[in-house]
């Protein structure tokens, strides 16, 4: 059974739900909101998305990103910073794995030189594709 741990009533909660969800009807989300607030949640926000089935969309992703930015502390010392490996220092095997995982295989057809794979990864990271 769901409970809120004593002393954590002020932890912000964001609940996102599609209004066209056939698996978990919107009324259940509203019921959850009432129940969690009755348990003592002080900061509970239910956001619904018109026309969204049991899935996610870009509006929801943006709302979650904004919520996390608001509630998580700033990384003032870069201790949580992720350093991406420089594509030019990657092996061809690593480059190909990156390209495959990013869904860019079709753009790499016919590539023969490592520099071509490096440029594709760089362009992808820069948002040029």
């Amino acid at each position: 059974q769901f409970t809120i741990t004593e002393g954590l009533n002020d932890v912000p909660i964001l609940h996102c739900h599609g209004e066209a969800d056939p698996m978990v009807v919107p009324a259940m989300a509203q019921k959850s909101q009432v129940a969690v607030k009755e348990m003592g949640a002080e900061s509970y926000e239910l956001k619904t998305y018109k026309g969204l089935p049991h899935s996610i969309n870009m509006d929801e992703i943006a709302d979650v990103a904004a919520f996390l930015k608001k509630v998580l502390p700033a990384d003032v010392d870069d201790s949580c910073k992720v350093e991406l490996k420089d594509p030019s220092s990657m092996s061809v095997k690593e480059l190909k794995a990156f390209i495959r995982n990013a869904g860019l295989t079709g753009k790499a057809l016919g590539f023969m030189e490592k520099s071509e794979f490096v440029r594709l990864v760089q362009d992808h990271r820069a948002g040029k594709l």
Side-chain angles (χ1 to χ4, degrees):
Q1 181 173 350
F2 179 83
T3 60
I4 294 178
T5 302
E6 189 175 325
L8 298 179
N9 298 45
D10 61 343
V11 173
I13 299 169
L14 174 63
H15 180 175
C16 300
H17 197 89
E19 291 180 5
D21 189 336
M23 298 178 79
V24 182
V25 295
M28 293 306 294
Q30 293 162 345
K31 206 171 180 180
S32 294
Q33 180 182 33
V34 170
V36 173
K37 282 185 171 184
E38 285 176 354
M39 289 180 200
E42 297 169 9
S43 177
Y44 184 102
E45 181 179 6
L46 172 61
K47 292 201 75 142
T48 61
Y49 301 88
K50 187 176 180 93
L52 184 66
H54 195 73
S55 185
I56 62 171
N57 65 17
M58 294 308 293
D59 290 338
E60 183 177 4
I61 291 171
D63 288 341
V64 170
F67 172 79
L68 292 173
K69 190 171 186 173
K70 180 176 78 175
V71 301
L72 294 178
D75 186 22
V76 293
D77 63 357
D78 285 339
S79 62
C80 295
K81 189 175 183 179
V82 174
E83 291 288 333
L84 296 176
K85 191 171 184 179
D86 180 359
S88 62
S89 68
M90 293 174 153
S91 68
V92 172
K93 183 177 182 178
E94 289 173 309
L95 289 163
K96 286 181 176 180
F98 178 95
I99 290 166
R100 182 177 52 255
N101 292 335
L104 301 171
T105 306
K107 295 191 179 291
L109 293 176
F111 283 8
M112 300 290 284
E113 302 293 325
K114 179 180 176 181
S115 62
E116 295 172 302
F117 293 104
V118 169
R119 172 59 55 201
L120 180 61
V121 171
Q122 290 170 333
D123 287 348
H124 174 72
R125 286 186 177 170
K128 294 180 182 177
L129 301 177

